Amino acid sequence: MSEYNFEAIEEKWQKIWDQKSSFKAFEDQNRKKYYLLEMFPYPSGKIHMGHVRNYTIGDVVARYKRMKGFNVLHPMGWDAFGLPAENAAIKNDTHPAKWTHENIAYMKKQLRRMGFSYDWDRELATCDPEYYRWEQLFFIQLYKKGIIYRKKTTVNWCEDCQTVLANEQVIDGECWRCDNKVLPREMNGWFFKITDYADELLEDLTQLQGWPEKVVSMQKNWIGRSQGAQIDFPIEGSDQSLTIFTTRPDTIYGATFMSVAPEHPLVKNICSESDNTKDIEAFVEKTSAAKQQANYGDEPEKEGIFTGKYCINPFNNARLPIYAANFVLMEYGTGAVMAVPAHDQRDYEFARKYNIPIVQVISPSERETPEDQAYEGPGVLIDSGGFSGMANDAAKIAITEHAKAQGFGMPQTTYRLRDWGISRQRYWGSPIPMLTCNSCGIQPVPENELPVTLPTDVTFDESGRSPLHSLESYYKTVCPFCGGEAKRETDTMDTFVESSWYFARYCSPSSEQKMVEKDAASYWLPVDQYIGGVEHAILHLLYARFFTKAMRDLGYLTIDEPFTNLLTQGMVIKDGTKMSKSKGNVVDPNGLIEAYGADTVRLFSLFAAPPERDLEWSDKGVEGSSRFLHKVYRLVINNKEVFSNSHIKDQDLNESGRTILRKTHQTIKKFSLDIDRDFHFNTCISAVMELVNTLSSKVGEEKKEIVAQSVVREAIEAIIKLLYPMVPHFCAELWQITGHQESMEEVTWPEFDAEAAKDDEITIVVQVSGKVRSRLQTAPNTSDEDLKEKSLADEKVQKFIGDKSIRKIIVIKNKLVNIVV
């Protein structure tokens, strides 16, 4: 084949890989394993360029590791439950299962067309009962262990999606799926007690040396561990106390007011007694709505309302007004904080706004504080009773110990992390395997009755309400304990539950006996390299870490963390913004594949930017990638004879031969370093392009120098091997064309020869005022500046220069340096 016919070549090799099951993985205790995993896709209908980039990055790593001798597991599956399927069912009058499986079939065809090296025998879809039956069993086991519970709580409600959202699924006060406003609502729901693992989730972040620091920091902040004191402030005129949490007990003598979350029970009690009930209720309603529209870390304008109540500081008997304030979070600490405006900027701004006194109790040890700021640094306590004169860090301990001894306080650790609410009021999700009996109460479904499957005889209406809530044939059941009438749980699980353990199921996806076969999991886990978007830094990754620890505690796994290394790839950008249907800037991968071939699309997605950076779409970049592959193809075809003729020994190499050999091994070195160090495939490709240019300049179409055929052959083989993980169909074809009997899947990574990569050296004569004083060994064409620097640093030359001033330095390239003094 004299021309690069990408369509025929790609179809040919995809069939061969399928027929040979080239990428099927088996446990082999005698081989070092490498588990490569990209975050599995939601089957929305078509893959987009973000998918292409993500999965191409993963496929390069998987193929590279195979060539390096690793036993590679590279599976693929489908995150198949979710709202889009249900919404599509309503819109198109079809069933979510039908819509989902049709999309899976189409997207699988697209992924195969890209030539990704997946072990398709391990494919799974989370909507299949064979998958979620184990999830239901795990749910019941966690329930029996006390890690799952049901309670009434205020939840984030999306009216458009007709479901509850986790805090992490509310972005700027809007639903992460439909972008509509989220409102608070009180209802019963099921919760995973992720807070039981808060300390371990936080402390084990130190193990994640292969994760981006940004992601580790985001998880650390989300867990939000704070250490301080819990102190009771008696409420004036009442036998009750307001319990607060503070990380700054050293400033307690400077408290001038108390601030509580608007939803704090105290506020509701006050409203029933206050003359200002309507104003307080209006403030609470306004603040609750605003909180649903804000992200963690947002700083709203400080607002509050005086409740009419006071509490007493147990340390100095100061009378402190109690405010409901919009910046206090009910879910953090106790939902109440003492306010010390002299030493907390937020409290300072609030106090200035509402004319509340500001009392300084820490004398700065380092600097004076500007008049418009609180001093939050270290110092010595003043006006703090018997604690005055103490360093503030020591005072934190002493004041907490005093509160404990007096019975109105204690040391306390709090977390921002809340338990994970997983109840969703939708149909297309894993059924929650629980039921309620009027006599026996809440009970798990017997394990021998699992899975609880979704009924198929359902209809959907425009309201979006789940049909499970009104389908008697589904929710009416019998109590397994007393035989009486019972009602099945009609909520389904948050879809993040399915994605929290799929990586473990890949180890033994066909097991009919266990959630995870322990021997297989012990061999393959943890995942060595995980690849996906940074938008999952809190949601998916935190939940997957929690599930791993819970599965370990139930005996399924032996690991503490699921993912050793994490790569968060950048977005695909076009016209200055992220590709999306709504912006009308989506590029269809199918059209590109038809026009240029899958390998060109792969090459462009790798060459345009480092993987962690956003990729700027460029039509010219795609065309350039195509031209490069055509150039390589012609170069190989025009030099096919080097694979059949006899070879000249290396010592007989001329200058052109040495240049090619040197460049070949320099390229192997750079490519290997760049791919191992940080997956910077763009610089890897650039290095191969340089090698191709060097080779073309000697034995290309327009120039045929006399070069040792062994060197040309070695260079071409290196080019094919290096490019294979990136453009596998292309390289598999060239490998076969050049007469190799083994397939590229059996070929090992090229070895770097340090001696061959060395630059030739020449002798440079160094003169001082025209007299030879030394000689330098250096690479040909060394720059004038480098030669000057090396000459001046030479000890022999320095001896003859002495204290004399240098008038000028003359450089004759590749010959001499003359220092005139």
Side-chain angles (χ1 to χ4, degrees), residues 485-538:
E485 188 175 294
K487 183 178 181 181
R488 193 182 302 283
E489 175 63 72
T490 56
D491 285 352
T492 54
M493 296 189 208
D494 181 2
T495 56
F496 279 97
V497 175
E498 283 82 60
S499 61
S500 294
W501 69 281
Y502 78 109
F503 54 88
R505 183 64 180 172
Y506 276 139
C507 297
S508 49
S510 301
S511 176
E512 297 180 359
Q513 305 301 320
K514 297 179 181 178
M515 183 180 187
V516 177
E517 292 289 347
K518 197 166 185 178
D519 288 346
S522 296
Y523 177 75
W524 289 115
L525 292 174
V527 174
D528 295 281
Q529 181 66 59
Y530 200 36
I531 302 173
V534 72
E535 65 271 17
H536 299 293
I538 294 173

Side-chain angles (χ1 to χ4, degrees), residues 290-528:
K291 283 186 176 181
Q292 300 296 329
Q293 300 170 20
N295 281 333
Y296 172 64
D298 286 353
E299 284 291 336
E301 181 183 352
K302 281 71 177 172
E303 292 184 340
I305 188 169
F306 177 46
T307 64
K309 289 284 187 178
Y310 292 83
C311 64
I312 306 302
N313 188 330
F315 279 84
N316 60 6
N317 292 319
R319 187 169 181 252
L320 308 178
I322 302 173
Y323 281 77
N326 67 340
F327 55 80
V328 183
L329 302 175
M330 189 62 214
E331 60 267 25
Y332 179 76
T334 64
V337 296
M338 68 175 194
V340 186
H343 304 294
D344 183 280
Q345 187 62 28
R346 182 185 59 185
D347 295 342
Y348 177 87
E349 293 170 8
F350 190 92
R352 290 288 297 268
K353 183 174 183 176
Y354 292 97
N355 297 314
I356 301 171
I358 299 173
V359 177
Q360 180 180 348
V361 292
I362 302 287
S363 178
S365 58
E366 297 177 353
R367 61 175 176 82
E368 294 298 322
T369 306
E371 291 185 2
D372 61 343
Q373 289 184 20
Y375 177 70
E376 298 178 332
V380 175
L381 270 64
I382 59 173
D383 297 329
S384 298
F387 302 98
S388 296
M390 293 183 69
N392 72 295
D393 282 341
K396 289 179 183 179
I397 299 171
I399 287 173
T400 301
E401 289 177 345
H402 177 77
K404 182 179 180 181
Q406 296 299 312
F408 55 75
M410 66 180 70
Q412 186 72 27
T413 301
T414 66
Y415 302 86
R416 182 181 183 273
L417 180 69
R418 300 292 92 189
D419 284 340
W420 176 15
I422 59 95
S423 294
R424 299 295 179 266
Q425 293 65 48
R426 298 305 298 241
Y427 165 79
W428 193 234
S430 173
I432 295 174
M434 304 296 290
L435 51 84
T436 302
C437 170
N438 290 333
S439 300
C440 305
I442 296 173
Q443 301 292 338
V445 172
E447 293 180 8
N448 62 1
E449 293 182 14
L450 299 179
V452 177
T453 58
L454 288 171
T456 56
D457 56 336
V458 294
T459 56
F460 298 88
D461 58 39
E462 293 297 329
S463 71
R465 179 177 168 82
S466 168
L468 298 179
H469 301 310
S470 56
L471 192 65
E472 287 192 7
S473 61
Y474 176 73
Y475 68 72
K476 275 193 172 182
T477 187
V478 175
C479 176
F481 298 96
C482 71
E485 188 175 294
K487 183 178 181 181
R488 193 182 302 283
E489 175 63 72
T490 56
D491 285 352
T492 54
M493 296 189 208
D494 181 2
T495 56
F496 279 97
V497 175
E498 283 82 60
S499 61
S500 294
W501 69 281
Y502 78 109
F503 54 88
R505 183 64 180 172
Y506 276 139
C507 297
S508 49
S510 301
S511 176
E512 297 180 359
Q513 305 301 320
K514 297 179 181 178
M515 183 180 187
V516 177
E517 292 289 347
K518 197 166 185 178
D519 288 346
S522 296
Y523 177 75
W524 289 115
L525 292 174
V527 174
D528 295 281

Side-chain angles (χ1 to χ4, degrees), residues 3 19 46 59 151 167 213 286 357 362 394 405 428 573 609 686 755 778 796 802 808 813:
E3 291 297 325
Q19 291 166 358
K46 292 182 179 180
D59 196 55
K151 72 171 183 177
N167 289 340
E213 180 56 39
K286 172 188 171 184
I362 302 287
W428 193 234
I573 306 294
S686 180
E755 283 299 316
T778 187
K796 295 178 182 177
K808 61 180 177 179
K813 200 168 191 66

Side-chain angles (χ1 to χ4, degrees), residues 665-666 669 751-759:
H665 285 275
Q666 289 174 346
K669 179 183 180 181
E751 293 186 10
F752 165 66
D753 185 334
E755 283 299 316
K758 279 185 178 179
D759 284 310

Side-chain angles (χ1 to χ4, degrees), residues 507-686:
C507 297
S508 49
S510 301
S511 176
E512 297 180 359
Q513 305 301 320
K514 297 179 181 178
M515 183 180 187
V516 177
E517 292 289 347
K518 197 166 185 178
D519 288 346
S522 296
Y523 177 75
W524 289 115
L525 292 174
V527 174
D528 295 281
Q529 181 66 59
Y530 200 36
I531 302 173
V534 72
E535 65 271 17
H536 299 293
I538 294 173
L539 286 166
H540 163 57
L541 292 172
L542 185 64
Y543 296 156
R545 296 182 61 224
F546 160 64
F547 250 68
T548 299
K549 296 174 189 304
M551 291 176 74
R552 174 204 62 198
D553 290 349
L554 263 62
Y556 288 107
L557 304 178
T558 58
I559 58 171
D560 297 326
E561 289 290 335
F563 315 119
T564 302
N565 297 291
L566 173 69
L567 172 64
T568 53
Q569 89 282 354
M571 298 182 295
V572 180
I573 306 294
K574 188 171 187 287
D575 303 326
T577 186
K578 179 183 177 181
M579 281 189 184
S580 70
K581 292 179 181 178
S582 62
K583 295 183 175 67
N585 63 348
V586 171
V587 175
D588 183 7
N590 283 356
L592 289 173
I593 293 169
E594 291 172 5
Y596 298 100
D599 280 338
T600 291
V601 178
R602 291 170 61 118
L603 189 68
F604 167 74
S605 69
L606 297 166
F607 184 55
E612 73 278 6
R613 301 280 297 275
D614 290 345
L615 183 156
E616 182 70 38
W617 179 260
S618 165
D619 292 332
K620 290 183 178 179
V622 177
E623 293 166 2
S625 296
S626 177
R627 286 195 302 272
F628 172 69
L629 292 183
H630 280 274
K631 179 178 181 178
V632 173
Y633 194 88
R634 290 193 301 271
L635 178 65
V636 175
I637 296 300
N638 291 335
N639 287 279
K640 277 177 61 177
E641 71 276 3
V642 303
F643 292 90
S644 56
N645 295 348
S646 59
H647 302 161
I648 301 175
K649 294 180 181 179
D650 287 348
Q651 58 262 36
D652 298 328
L653 297 182
N654 57 17
E655 184 178 345
S656 293
R658 288 195 298 273
T659 298
I660 294 171
L661 183 65
R662 182 167 55 248
K663 189 65 174 177
T664 297
H665 285 275
Q666 289 174 346
T667 303
I668 293 171
K669 179 183 180 181
K670 177 170 178 53
F671 197 115
S672 301
L673 286 175
D674 286 358
I675 199 171
D676 280 331
R677 186 172 56 237
D678 47 23
F679 298 152
H680 276 196
F681 308 117
N682 57 323
T683 58
C684 294
I685 295 168
S686 180

Side-chain angles (χ1 to χ4, degrees), residues 51-331:
H51 289 130
V52 169
R53 188 184 191 199
N54 187 12
Y55 302 143
T56 298
I57 290 169
D59 196 55
V60 171
V61 179
R63 290 179 183 269
Y64 169 68
K65 290 295 182 179
R66 287 192 191 97
M67 294 180 77
K68 294 284 284 186
F70 287 87
N71 186 22
V72 174
L73 172 60
H74 188 205
M76 175 51 68
W78 311 95
D79 191 9
F81 275 136
L83 287 172
E86 204 162 333
N87 293 337
I90 296 170
K91 182 179 179 180
N92 302 314
D93 191 25
T94 187
H95 194 280
K98 182 175 183 293
W99 185 85
T100 299
H101 286 292
E102 286 176 352
N103 287 350
I104 287 175
Y106 185 81
M107 292 177 69
K108 183 175 179 179
K109 184 178 179 181
Q110 286 184 297
L111 293 179
R112 284 182 175 275
R113 183 68 182 83
M114 287 297 301
F116 298 135
S117 60
Y118 297 128
D119 180 355
W120 284 108
D121 289 345
R122 294 176 184 258
E123 179 185 14
L124 57 81
T126 60
C127 65
D128 290 339
E130 292 79 10
Y131 181 83
Y132 66 74
R133 67 174 289 196
W134 302 112
E135 186 170 288
Q136 292 175 345
L137 174 62
F138 189 58
F139 185 102
I140 292 170
Q141 292 170 335
L142 289 180
Y143 173 76
K144 291 178 178 178
K145 194 181 176 188
I147 302 298
I148 289 179
Y149 64 94
R150 187 171 183 258
K151 72 171 183 177
K152 181 168 283 188
T153 184
T154 299
V155 296
N156 306 306
W157 177 259
C158 176
E159 186 65 29
D160 190 69
C161 295
Q162 286 284 297
T163 194
V164 170
L165 303 174
N167 289 340
E168 298 91 336
Q169 294 168 318
V170 181
I171 301 172
D172 293 328
E174 297 176 347
C175 173
W176 73 299
R177 283 246 183 237
C178 70
D179 296 332
N180 284 318
K181 287 292 172 60
V182 174
L183 300 172
R185 175 180 283 195
E186 194 172 77
M187 62 191 341
N188 284 316
W190 290 96
F191 289 80
F192 282 113
K193 211 171 183 183
I194 191 172
T195 52
D196 276 8
Y197 288 84
D199 282 327
E200 189 180 359
L201 286 167
L202 182 64
E203 289 160 6
D204 284 358
L205 288 171
T206 58
Q207 297 182 23
L208 305 179
Q209 299 299 312
W211 284 37
E213 180 56 39
K214 176 183 178 181
V215 175
V216 172
S217 178
M218 290 170 74
Q219 292 220 352
K220 183 178 181 180
N221 292 337
W222 189 259
I223 296 167
R225 182 168 68 188
S226 299
Q227 292 176 309
Q230 182 173 294
I231 299 173
D232 298 329
F233 285 68
I235 297 174
E236 188 178 70
S238 167
D239 59 356
Q240 297 181 330
S241 293
L242 179 62
T243 301
I244 65 98
F245 170 77
T246 178
T247 59
R248 293 293 306 273
D250 54 319
T251 64
I252 200 163
Y253 282 85
T256 57
F257 67 99
M258 306 295 287
S259 51
V260 299
E263 58 269 43
H264 195 287
L266 175 68
V267 177
K268 183 179 287 187
N269 294 338
I270 288 173
C271 282
S272 64
E273 306 170 2
S274 174
D275 296 332
N276 198 25
T277 297
K278 288 186 178 180
D279 289 342
I280 295 174
E281 287 179 342
F283 175 78
V284 170
E285 184 177 345
K286 172 188 171 184
T287 304
S288 295
K291 283 186 176 181
Q292 300 296 329
Q293 300 170 20
N295 281 333
Y296 172 64
D298 286 353
E299 284 291 336
E301 181 183 352
K302 281 71 177 172
E303 292 184 340
I305 188 169
F306 177 46
T307 64
K309 289 284 187 178
Y310 292 83
C311 64
I312 306 302
N313 188 330
F315 279 84
N316 60 6
N317 292 319
R319 187 169 181 252
L320 308 178
I322 302 173
Y323 281 77
N326 67 340
F327 55 80
V328 183
L329 302 175
M330 189 62 214
E331 60 267 25

